[in-house]
Amino acid sequence: MKLYLALGIASGDVVAFVGAGGKSSAILSVAGELAEAGMTFLTAPTTKMLVSEAEKLGTLVTSEDTGQLRTKAEQTLSDGASGVVVGSGLLSKNRVGGVEPGSITSLASLADVVLIEADGSRRRPIKGTADHEPALPDAATLVVAVGNIRAFGAPVTEENVHRPELFSKLTGTGAGQSITARAFARALAEGSLGNIPDNVRTAALITGVHPGKSMADASVITRELWRFGVKKVVLTSLPDESPPRIWIP
């Protein structure tokens, strides 16, 4: 099963990946699948992205001017590339700056699918979402909330949770306490997906899942996500395996 099909991604979609624990891996996997299916894609961070990750996706073009950025991206795709990554500029040798969410609308028509990394998590498996997150464009049609199964049962600490104080405030799970299935699900459903417009489709992607205990744990979290109203849940072995295994509960 292909990840993009499991998530319900189709031509014309503007897909924002939010949350923690595998956003970049999911975008990379989906981009590769779209290319194999003969579709073009444009990837745009609205916060920041590692240059090393951007270069895995395709040609990186940058500009602070939206018109110039569109021209560069259009030229890259017209030269036969399957995908292009756009950014506002290089922040350092390692990071590319994100584009303004409002710029996505003018870029969306260039490719079959737009893939957006819409918030950060400092590589933690789960996060507390700030009021200003995620940085979504008005053009978004699907938002995928990501969380890694290794957060389940782990204590709420800086090592396990990005912005643990916000995670605790939302879930009621105090510092040092174990992350329950309900807390995990709430962080995705009411944190990452808490401020999504009603006309935008949503999905949850639980990463790091393998047959056995983690699969059983993910099943418990899935039931909690359903109770919170998240109808589409996908489980994957990303980022541990490539190509990943995919399951739909």
Side-chain angles (χ1 to χ4, degrees):
M1 183 182 297
K2 301 296 186 182
L3 180 57
Y4 83 96
L5 293 174
L7 291 171
I9 298 172
S11 181
D13 268 329
V14 177
V15 189
F17 288 82
V18 300
K23 294 190 302 291
S24 298
S25 296
I27 290 172
L28 184 62
S29 182
V30 167
E33 293 171 352
L34 293 173
E36 287 178 5
M39 287 190 276
T40 57
F41 63 89
L42 181 146
T43 304
T46 52
T47 51
K48 301 172 186 176
M49 178 179 277
L50 291 173
V51 172
S52 58
E53 293 173 347
E55 290 175 341
K56 291 177 183 177
L57 288 159
T59 302
L60 172 63
V61 299
T62 63
S63 177
E64 292 185 356
D65 180 78
T66 301
Q68 189 176 56
L69 192 62
R70 178 184 168 86
T71 299
K72 288 182 176 182
E74 188 173 24
Q75 183 61 54
T76 299
L77 292 170
S78 65
D79 288 342
S82 296
V84 61
V85 185
V86 299
S88 60
L90 293 177
L91 302 177
S92 66
K93 291 181 179 180
N94 299 323
R95 291 186 180 275
V96 58
V99 299
E100 289 294 325
S103 301
I104 301 296
T105 301
S106 67
L107 298 168
S109 62
L110 296 178
D112 293 316
V113 177
V114 177
L115 304 171
I116 301 164
E117 187 166 342
D119 63 4
S121 60
R122 296 188 178 178
R123 300 191 173 275
R124 304 301 196 268
I126 203 163
K127 69 175 291 183
T129 301
D131 290 340
H132 66 274
E133 295 178 314
L136 287 183
D138 291 337
T141 59
L142 171 65
V143 178
V144 180
V146 183
N148 193 293
I149 193 64
R150 70 183 175 90
F152 178 64
V156 176
T157 62
E158 291 278 357
E159 290 74 26
N160 297 320
V161 183
H162 180 45
R163 297 201 184 96
E165 67 285 352
L166 295 180
F167 180 90
S168 294
K169 183 178 179 181
L170 174 64
T171 66
T173 310
Q177 294 182 339
S178 296
I179 298 172
T180 63
R182 187 163 183 80
F184 189 114
R186 189 184 292 275
L188 270 60
E190 296 186 351
S192 295
L193 299 177
N195 295 309
I196 308 303
D198 292 338
N199 63 330
V200 178
R201 296 162 14 237
T202 60
L205 179 65
I206 304 178
T207 59
V209 178
H210 301 274
K213 184 180 184 303
S214 64
M215 178 71 75
D217 292 342
S219 297
V220 176
I221 294 169
T222 296
R223 288 194 288 273
E224 293 293 342
L225 283 164
W226 288 339
R227 292 188 180 102
F228 280 115
V230 181
K231 297 177 181 178
K232 181 178 285 293
V233 182
V234 177
L235 316 180
T236 177
S237 59
L238 281 172
D240 307 327
E241 295 180 341
S242 183
R245 286 180 285 179
I246 311 292
W247 300 271
I248 299 178

